[in-house]
Amino acid sequence: MENPQIEMGAFKANGPQGQNGGLRSGMAQPWNLQRIVERVLRSIKIVIFTSKLNLLLPFGPASIALHYATSRHGLVFLFSMLGITPLAERLGYATEQLAIYTGPTVGGLLNATFGNATEMIIAIYALKNGMIRVVQQSLLGSILSNMLLVMGCAFFAGGIVHRNKDQVFSKATAVVNSGLLLMAVMGLMFPAVLHFTHSEVRQGASEVSLSRFSSCVMLVAYASYLYFQLSGRSNAYSPIGSEEMPNEDAAEEDEEAEIGMWESIAWLAMLTLWVSILSEYLVNAIEGASDSLNLPVAFISVILLPIVGNAAEHASAIMFAMKDKLDITLGVAIGSSTQISMFVIPFCVVVGWMMGQKMDLNFQLFETATLFITVLVVAFMLQDGVANYLKGLMLILCYLIVAASFFVHVDPQSSDD
C-alpha cells in the first residue's frame, strides 16, 4: 500500500516542477525569438537608416523595373549606377565591422577581398558577357580615379583645413605601394609591347599565355605583400590603411563594433547578392547607354563606372585627410589602387581563363601609357612624405586631363568586342 503513496508523493514532488520547467522552457522560446527580432530590427536600423547615402537605394529596384518596362538603356544605366553606390559603401562598412572581430590578419584579407568587391562583381559579369574591354577599362578607371581624383581631393581638402602646416604621412609605406604599382605597370606593359611590335612567337596566343603567367606571378607578389605587412614587421612598414594609432584609440575602435559578427556576415552575403543582381543590369545597359547618351564606351568604362565603387572611398579619404590622418587616406586611395592592380586584374585574368574567355593584360597602348604616366606622377608626389593643397590641386587637374583624353578616345577594339 505504500507504493501508491510513494508514487503520489513523487508525482506531487516532481509533477509541478516538471510542469514549471516545461512552462519555463516554453516561455524561453518566445523570449529568445523576441531577442532575435529586436537584434534584427536594430541591425537593419544601423545598416540601412544611419547612412544618408542609402537614400539612393530605391534607384536599384527602379532600374530593374525600367529594364523591363522601357528600352531606355541610358536611364537603366544611370539608375543602376545610383543604386549600386550605397551598396558599395555598406559593403565596406560590413567588412570593417567583421574585421573588428577577426583581428588584423584576417581583417586585412577581408579588406583585400571585399574592399573592391563591387568592381570584381561588375568585372565578372562583363567577362561572362564577353565584354573584355569593359573589364579592362573599368578596372583601369578605378586605379586612375583612386590615385588622381580621390587622393587629389583628399590632399586638397586636408590642405585647405590645415593650410598653416604641411601634412605628413609614412614615406616607407608609400614607397612600397608605389613599387607594387610600378610592378603592375610592368605586367601590363609587356603584353602590350609584344602585341604592338608584332614579335609574338604565336600570333594572338603568346600575349594571352604571357598575361596568364604574369597574373599568377602578380597574385603571388600580392599575397607576399599581404603576409609582409601583416606579419608584425616594424612600424615603418605597417599595413597602409590600418592606423598607427595609440592604444586607447585602438581600444575605442574595438568598442565601436555596432553589429555582431554573424550579422556582419549575413549583411555581407545579402549586399553582395544585391550588388550582383544590379551589376548584371548595369553591364547589359552599357552599350545602349553609350548610344543614347552619345558617350564613348571608353569614357563610360574608365570615368563613369569607377564612380560606383569609389564614391564611399572618396568620402572617407577626404574625411580622414581633414582629420589630419593622412596614413589612412593613403590606405584608402593607394591601398585600393594596389589591390585592383595586383589582385583584382590578375584575378579577372584567371577567372576569364576558367570561363574560356581570352582576358589578357594587353590594355592597349593608350591605356597602358596613361597608367604608366599616372603611377610616375603619383610616385613623385609621394616621395617626400608631405601633402598640401597644391599637390591635391595638381592631382585633380591631372585627372581632368585624363578624363578629357578618354572623352575623345575611340577604342580600337570596340568593334571586336
Side-chain angles (χ1 to χ4, degrees), residues 22 74 84 109 111 129 150 179 208 216 221-223 235 258-259 263 268 299 306 313 330 333 387 401-402 413 417:
I84 290 175
L109 292 170
N111 281 319
N129 291 355
V150 174
V208 175
C216 294
Y222 187 70
N235 287 335
E258 295 177 350
I259 56 176
E263 292 170 49
L268 274 177
F299 182 80
E313 292 170 346
L330 255 72
I401 293 172
V402 169
Q413 282 201 348
D417 296 329

Side-chain angles (χ1 to χ4, degrees), residues 327-391:
D327 283 313
I328 318 177
T329 296
L330 255 72
V332 172
I334 299 296
S336 184
S337 298
T338 306
Q339 280 179 10
I340 294 168
S341 58
M342 293 296 290
F343 174 67
V344 179
I345 290 176
F347 176 77
C348 286
V349 172
V350 173
V351 169
W353 189 3
M354 293 175 183
M355 288 180 176
Q357 298 281 0
K358 289 187 177 180
M359 167 77 183
D360 58 19
L361 295 177
N362 176 15
F363 277 42
Q364 302 299 312
L365 207 55
F366 185 84
E367 286 85 348
T368 307
T370 304
L371 179 63
F372 179 53
I373 295 165
T374 298
V375 171
L376 281 183
V377 168
V378 171
F380 275 110
M381 293 282 189
L382 299 179
Q383 66 179 350
D384 60 351
V386 172
N388 50 54
Y389 70 87
L390 179 61
K391 284 186 177 181

